[in-house]
Amino acid sequence: MSTPTEIPTARIATIPRAKRSIADLLTTLDRLAQTSPSLIAKPGGTFEINGQIYELPRYIFLGANNGDEPIRIGLFAAIHGDEPEGTFALVQLLGLLEQNPELAAGYCLFVYPICNPSGFEDNTRHSRRGRDLNREFWNNSKEPEIQLLQREIYHHAFHGMVSLHSDDTADGVYGFVSGATLTQHLLKPALDAADLILPRSRHDIIDGFAAQHGIIREGYQGVLSAPPGVRPLPFEIILETPQAAPRYQQERALVAALQTILVEYQKLMAYAPNL
Ligand SMILES: [Zn+2]
C-alpha cells in the first residue's frame, strides 16, 4: 500500500504537458507571405514522427537586388523545442523586414523558425523521438529533421548561418563563433547591439567553455552547422539569450543582433570580398 505522500505513477503520466500550436505561430507569417512581394512560405519537406506528419517550416525573404548574386543566409530557431524565444524573434524579424525591405537588400534569407516541430509542440528540448537534435548533425543521423535540415544546408551553401537559442542557466546574452575567421567581427557588434536591450554575459566560463566578452570560440560536437570541410567557410554564429529574462527583451535583443549581422556582413564584404 502506498503512503499518502506518494503520487501514483499512473497519475504522473496523465498530467497534461504544456502544448504549443505550430499552426497558431505560423499564421502570422503565412498571412504576411500571401501579400508580401518579398516573403515566400515554402516548407522544406515533410516527415513522420510516431505516425504524425510534420513539415519543416521554411520562409524565404528575398531582399532588393543590388546587382550582385544575393547573399544566402540561413536563420534557424527552436532546434531545442523548449526555446521558442528564437522562433518569436524570427517572426518579429520578418515583420520588420516586410516593413523595411531595404534592411535585407542584397540578401536572400532562408528562415527556419521551428527546426524541431515535435519538441516545439511538446515544449521539450528533445524531439518526440527523444533526441537532442543539436548533437546529431553530419554524423549519419537517422533523425528525419536532421536529414531535412542537412539537405537544406548542403543545397543552399549558405554564406552565413545563425542559430538562435535561449539558455535557462545564463544571466546574459552570449554567442558562439565558428566557421569563417570574420565571424568574430560579426558577433562582437551583434552583442553590442543586443547589449542595449539585454546585457551580455561577462563570465570567463559560460556553458563550460572559455568566454571573452560573451564570445565563445569552441562548441559542442554535432550542432547545427555547415557541412564539414565545405569551402569557402560560411560564418557561423549561435546566439543565446538568458531564458529567465522577459520574453519581449529576448526577442528584441535577438532581432537587434540579427539586423546588425546583416549590416556588418555587407560592410565586411565590401571591404574584403575575398576574406
Ligand atoms: Zn538550445
Side-chain angles (χ1 to χ4, degrees):
M1 211 179 112
S2 56
T3 62
T5 51
E6 276 178 330
I7 301 171
T9 39
R11 193 180 302 164
I12 293 174
T14 57
I15 292 171
R17 248 188 202 146
K19 285 264 187 180
R20 215 181 264 124
S21 163
I22 293 172
D24 284 357
L25 191 114
L26 297 181
T27 301
T28 317
L29 291 181
D30 290 335
R31 282 212 190 109
L32 207 59
Q34 279 172 11
T35 54
S36 169
S38 313
L39 184 66
I40 302 161
K42 201 167 185 229
T46 57
F47 59 95
E48 189 190 319
I49 291 190
N50 301 348
Q52 200 171 337
I53 304 292
Y54 284 94
E55 282 181 339
L56 176 71
R58 180 181 66 173
Y59 296 84
I60 300 166
F61 191 95
L62 189 58
N65 189 329
N66 61 7
D68 296 324
E69 186 196 351
I71 301 166
R72 297 179 302 280
I73 304 289
L75 303 176
F76 305 86
I79 188 85
H80 291 140
D82 58 350
E83 298 170 20
E85 293 80 4
T87 305
F88 299 130
L90 290 180
V91 172
Q92 297 282 331
L93 178 76
L94 287 171
L96 178 75
L97 296 180
E98 183 62 26
Q99 297 296 315
N100 306 276
E102 70 281 359
L103 297 175
Y107 284 102
C108 184
L109 305 178
F110 294 80
V111 178
Y112 306 87
I114 305 176
C115 294
N116 173 4
S118 65
F120 186 86
E121 274 189 341
D122 297 347
N123 195 27
T124 56
R125 176 181 177 92
H126 293 182
S127 68
R128 200 168 294 148
R129 279 161 56 90
R131 311 299 297 197
D132 183 340
L133 298 178
N134 210 31
R135 300 291 182 271
E136 297 259 347
F137 280 85
W138 310 111
N139 194 22
N140 299 314
S141 175
K142 299 274 181 290
E143 301 309 307
E145 302 91 333
I146 298 297
Q147 293 183 354
L148 283 179
L149 285 163
Q150 285 184 176
R151 195 180 71 187
E152 290 292 306
I153 294 166
Y154 188 81
H155 180 71
H156 297 302
F158 298 119
H159 297 89
M161 299 168 60
V162 186
S163 300
L164 306 182
H165 290 258
S166 48
D167 180 343
D168 60 2
T169 66
D171 59 5
V173 181
Y174 65 94
F176 294 84
V177 292
S178 57
T181 47
L182 62 77
T183 308
Q184 56 187 316
H185 302 298
L186 296 169
L187 181 54
K188 189 185 172 301
L191 290 178
D192 289 344
D195 241 345
L196 301 173
I197 300 147
L198 266 181
R200 80 183 69 190
S201 173
R202 298 269 171 200
H203 298 290
D204 296 334
I205 304 279
I206 303 173
D207 204 12
F209 297 107
Q212 249 190 333
H213 309 296
I215 297 178
I216 301 169
R217 291 184 170 77
E218 306 164 76
Y220 292 102
Q221 289 294 313
V223 298
L224 195 159
S225 62
V230 72
R231 293 292 181 277
L233 274 174
F235 72 79
E236 297 180 72
I237 291 174
I238 299 171
L239 284 170
E240 302 261 3
T241 53
Q243 199 169 32
R247 192 183 103 186
Y248 77 94
Q249 283 187 337
Q250 294 180 68
E251 287 171 25
R252 281 180 50 208
L254 289 172
V255 169
L258 290 169
Q259 252 187 279
T260 304
I261 289 168
L262 296 182
V263 170
E264 294 297 320
Y265 188 68
Q266 290 271 25
K267 280 194 212 161
L268 285 171
M269 287 299 95
Y271 173 68
N274 299 314
L275 207 67

